Amino acid sequence: MENESKEVYFVFMNFDPEYERLRADRSKEGSNALNAYLTKKHDKLLAKHFRANTYIKRSSLAIIDGFPVELTEHQANILRSANEVRLVEKNQELS
């Protein structure tokens, strides 16, 4: 399984009232607080399910409470069953 190729998947989180509260604050401080909250939340989810260095999170996306991450198909399936996750979708490259 370690040799499985990794692809980019987008992970979208379930409703989170704290995210909604922080997103409502349009100030610079509010934006910084939201970004810090989401980064920690997304990193914590990945660390809960996978060993370090077995995935590459690219960023946290504040506008949708989600993030792109390089995973194996097996890892994507694990995240699909996580309670905090609404959807895991493989990136579709357009040619």
Side-chain angles (χ1 to χ4, degrees), residues 11-88:
V11 179
F12 301 95
M13 306 299 286
N14 279 327
F15 176 77
D16 175 359
E18 182 65 7
Y19 162 75
E20 295 297 333
R21 185 188 72 74
L22 290 168
R23 193 173 70 134
D25 182 351
R26 303 276 185 192
S27 69
K28 182 173 174 115
E29 295 81 14
S31 177
N32 290 340
L34 176 60
N35 287 334
Y37 172 75
L38 289 179
T39 296
K40 183 177 179 179
K41 174 182 165 181
H42 298 159
D43 290 348
K44 191 174 175 180
L45 172 73
L46 291 167
K48 175 176 152 183
H49 292 283
F50 309 119
R51 290 188 328 264
N53 302 316
T54 63
Y55 59 87
I56 301 170
K57 186 182 98 175
R58 294 192 170 179
S59 63
S60 288
L61 306 172
I63 197 163
I64 57 168
D65 189 6
F67 57 95
V69 61
E70 292 179 36
L71 300 168
T72 66
E73 185 175 351
H74 177 72
Q75 289 173 310
N77 288 332
I78 290 171
L79 282 182
R80 285 184 177 105
S81 65
N83 290 334
E84 308 92 332
V85 173
R86 179 172 37 113
L87 178 70
V88 177

